[in-house]
Structures are given as structure tokens and as C-alpha cells.
């Protein structure tokens, strides 16, 4: 069986290669799909893949058990998670080979949990590898029988993923660090997340100030991060280091307390404040776009 640490290392190794989406790909030729990400990691770790290249096959044959997700607290590093369609829903196409299966769900997508707290789900979908930090439509989970399952509380924390510190990518950054970060701008406006570490790069997304994310690589004046854009979509790209704030060592109570050490804000109050700020951002954004925005 494959160790959890090695399995997650291989998942991130494929992700770091930035494969393009192709149905049937498994990371071998620079292409991958959702099942291929899991399959490719198993093979790179020295294991054999005994099932079809199908999330329906994995969900039915490759797990110790398949359970509905009640909350993010159910999930642990290494869990496989699935999205599904039910009979009658648009896009439902359960293959005929499962005609005798009492489970009529069509499991259309699979990902792997990197950590439960904070929640990080790695998955491959068009056009590229993504990282989800919210449950969204992830509905079921289970443990792959090819992976050695740690006992007790070991699986509640993500294992250390060994990375070669001397190996660098073509952009000159280091390998994935997976350190929690927060995007912060001085005026509360969205920050540009670019495809390349250059202000001349015309392709970018806008990330709201306060968005959580993960630090993947760090270069001179730039960081490559995974986060969510202002539309709530997962995205990966380069951001100027001035807008990336590390969260390591910060406790939950410290992050929600006021600067004078007062009582922590209630989640409802925080959400209300964020909603108000988002509304202001929408109004101001049109003005700042005229002068080039931020980042």
C-alpha cells in the first residue's frame, strides 16, 4: 500500500507541472483529468491502478466506504471527495455497466483532500488544476483502498510533504510551500492575480482584499498563490509580494479580535462587514479601472 505522505506528494507534483485538461489524461503527457490526477499519483508512488478510468468506478470499487459529507469536519487529508448528479438532473449519464447497482448516483467528479483545517481540496477540471477551500457541491467522501490509512488523530493533520528544496521551476520560484496566506490591499480594493510574475502581463483575475489562499512559490517581489477570485472561483497565479500576508502562527482568536485586544467579533458581524465592504468595492472598482486599478 502507498503511504499517505507519498500519495499527497505525488498529487502536488502533478499539480505543480500545470497539466492541461484532457479526458483520459493522467499527468504523463502534460494532460490530466479528475480521475487521472488520482491515478497518476498512485502510479508515480509505485502503485498499480486496478479500476477503470472513471470516477463512478472509483466511488463504487475503490473505497473502504462511500459516505455523504455532512460538514467539512468530516474530511481528513487523503480522503477522496466526489460530486454527483441524481436521476433526472441535467447531465446525468450513469453508464449502463452500473445498471444493477442500487446506488443510482452518477459520480461525475473526484478530488483529494489535502487538509481539513483549513479545508483544501485538490482537483483537476477544465482548464487546469484547482484548489477548493469551500465544500460547494462536494457531496460524498471515502478512503481509497490503495492508500495506507493512518490511525487515530494522525489523519486530522496534513502530513509533511517532502519537497526537494534545490529544485526550481522555470519561473525561478521554489516548489509548492502550501503556507496559508491572506490577500490584503492597503485601500481594500481587489488585487490583480496574473498569469506571469510581471505587471506587463495582460491576463489577470481580481482577488478581493481579505481572500484566503495558499502560498505555492515565492520569488523576488512576487508570490504564486492559490486563492479565490471576486466571483468565488478557484484560481492560481502570481501576485506582488506586498499584497500577500502570511498566516502562519496566527490563532483564530487573534485573527478575529480587534487591534486593542478586545472581544473577538462574532461570525455574523464579520460576514455583515464583509458584505458591506464588497458592495463598496463594486462601486469603487469602476472608478479605479479607469486609472489602472491595483497590483
Amino acid at each position: 500500500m502507498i503511504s499517505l505522505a507519498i500519495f499527497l506528494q505525488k498529487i502536488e507534483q502533478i499539480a505543480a507541472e500545470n497539466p492541461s485538461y484532457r479526458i483520459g489524461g493522467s499527468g504523463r503527457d502534460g494532460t490530466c483529468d479528475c480521475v487521472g490526477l488520482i491515478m497518476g499519483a498512485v502510479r508515480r508512488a509505485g502503485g498499480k491502478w486496478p479500476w477503470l478510468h472513471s470516477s463512478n468506478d472509483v466511488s463504487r470499487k475503490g473505497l473502504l466506504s462511500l459516505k455523504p459529507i455532512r460538514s467539512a469536519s468530516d474530511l481528513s487529508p487523503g480522503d477522496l471527495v466526489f460530486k454527483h448528479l441524481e436521476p433526472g438532473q441535467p447531465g446525468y449519464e450513469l453508464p449502463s455497466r452500473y445498471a444493477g447497482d442500487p446506488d443510482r448516483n452518477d459520480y461525475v467528479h473526484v478530488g483529494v483532500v489535502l487538509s481539513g483545517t483549513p479545508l483544501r481540496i485538490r482537483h483537476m477540471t477544465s482548464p487546469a488544476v484547482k484548489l477548493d477551500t469551500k465544500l460547494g457541491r462536494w457531496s460524498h467522501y471515502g478512503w481509497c483502498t490503495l492508500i495506507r490509512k493512518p490511525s487515530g488523530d494522525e489523519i486530522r493533520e496534513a502530513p509533511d510533504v517532502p519537497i526537494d528544496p534545490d529544485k526550481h521551476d522555470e519561473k525561478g520560484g521554489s516548489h509548492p510551500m502550501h503556507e496559508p496566506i491572506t490577500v490584503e490591499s492597503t485601500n481594500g480594493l481587489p488585487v490583480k492575480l496574473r498569469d506571469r510574475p510581471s505587471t506587463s502581463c495582460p491576463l489577470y483575475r481580481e482577488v478581493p482584499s481579505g481572500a484566503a489562499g495558499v502560498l505555492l512559490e515565492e520569488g523576488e517581489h512576487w508570490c504564486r498563490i492559490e486563492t479565490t477570485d471576486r466571483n468565488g472561483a478557484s484560481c492560481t497565479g502570481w501576485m506582488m509580494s506586498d499584497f500577500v500576508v502570511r498566516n502562519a502562527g496566527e490563532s483564530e482568536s487573534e485573527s478575529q479580535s480587534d487591534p486593542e485586544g478586545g472581544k473577538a467579533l462574532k461570525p455574523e458581524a464579520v460576514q455583515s462587514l464583509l458584505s458591506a465592504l464588497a458592495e463598496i468595492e463594486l462601486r469603487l472598482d469602476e472608478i479605479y479601472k479607469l486609472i489602472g486599478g491595483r497590483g
Side-chain angles (χ1 to χ4, degrees), residues 210-283:
V214 180
L215 177 64
L216 298 180
E217 305 172 28
E218 187 171 20
E220 187 176 2
H221 307 306
W222 290 87
C223 294
R224 190 167 78 91
I225 67 171
E226 293 196 51
T227 183
T228 52
D229 65 18
R230 61 184 308 164
N231 297 317
S234 298
C235 52
T236 302
W238 292 87
M239 181 175 290
M240 294 182 70
S241 302
D242 291 344
F243 302 105
V244 178
V245 179
R246 285 179 162 85
N247 297 344
E250 180 183 75
S251 69
E252 182 177 356
S253 61
E254 289 173 340
S255 64
Q256 295 183 3
S257 298
D258 65 39
E260 301 300 324
K263 187 177 180 180
L265 294 175
K266 293 183 178 180
E268 297 86 354
V270 173
Q271 186 59 47
S272 177
L273 179 59
L274 291 176
S275 297
L277 289 174
E279 184 67 20
I280 294 173
E281 288 175 6
L282 289 174
R283 297 291 178 264

Side-chain angles (χ1 to χ4, degrees), residues 32-172:
C32 197
D33 65 8
C34 67
V35 182
L37 178 63
I38 312 299
M39 177 190 298
V42 167
R43 287 174 172 169
R44 291 189 186 197
K48 294 183 178 180
W49 187 260
W51 310 296
L52 297 177
H53 195 122
S54 160
S55 51
N56 273 302
D57 220 51
V58 178
S59 64
R60 288 169 165 82
K61 301 177 182 179
L63 307 178
L64 295 179
S65 63
L66 182 65
K67 304 176 183 178
I69 301 173
R70 298 165 299 180
S71 69
S73 62
D74 290 337
L75 303 177
S76 302
D79 280 330
L80 300 189
V81 288
F82 299 83
K83 296 181 180 180
H84 81 284
L85 294 174
E86 298 178 0
Q89 288 186 311
Y92 177 87
E93 295 181 358
L94 184 65
S96 59
R97 60 179 172 270
Y98 305 113
D101 194 325
D103 184 352
R104 305 313 298 160
N105 286 334
D106 181 7
Y107 296 98
V108 296
H109 195 48
V110 62
V112 60
V113 177
L114 301 181
S115 66
T117 306
L119 180 63
R120 293 186 295 139
I121 299 172
R122 177 73 69 198
H123 62 114
M124 181 70 194
T125 187
S126 181
V129 180
K130 294 185 178 180
L131 184 76
D132 285 2
T133 56
K134 297 180 181 179
L135 274 180
R137 291 180 52 238
W138 295 107
S139 61
H140 291 73
Y141 75 106
W143 191 269
C144 181
T145 56
L146 302 177
I147 311 303
R148 186 183 304 112
K149 188 170 186 177
S151 60
D153 293 334
E154 285 183 85
I155 61 174
R156 287 296 161 192
E157 296 297 331
D160 291 333
V161 179
I163 298 294
D164 183 356
D166 296 324
K167 189 174 182 181
H168 297 270
D169 69 7
E170 61 185 6
K171 298 184 181 69

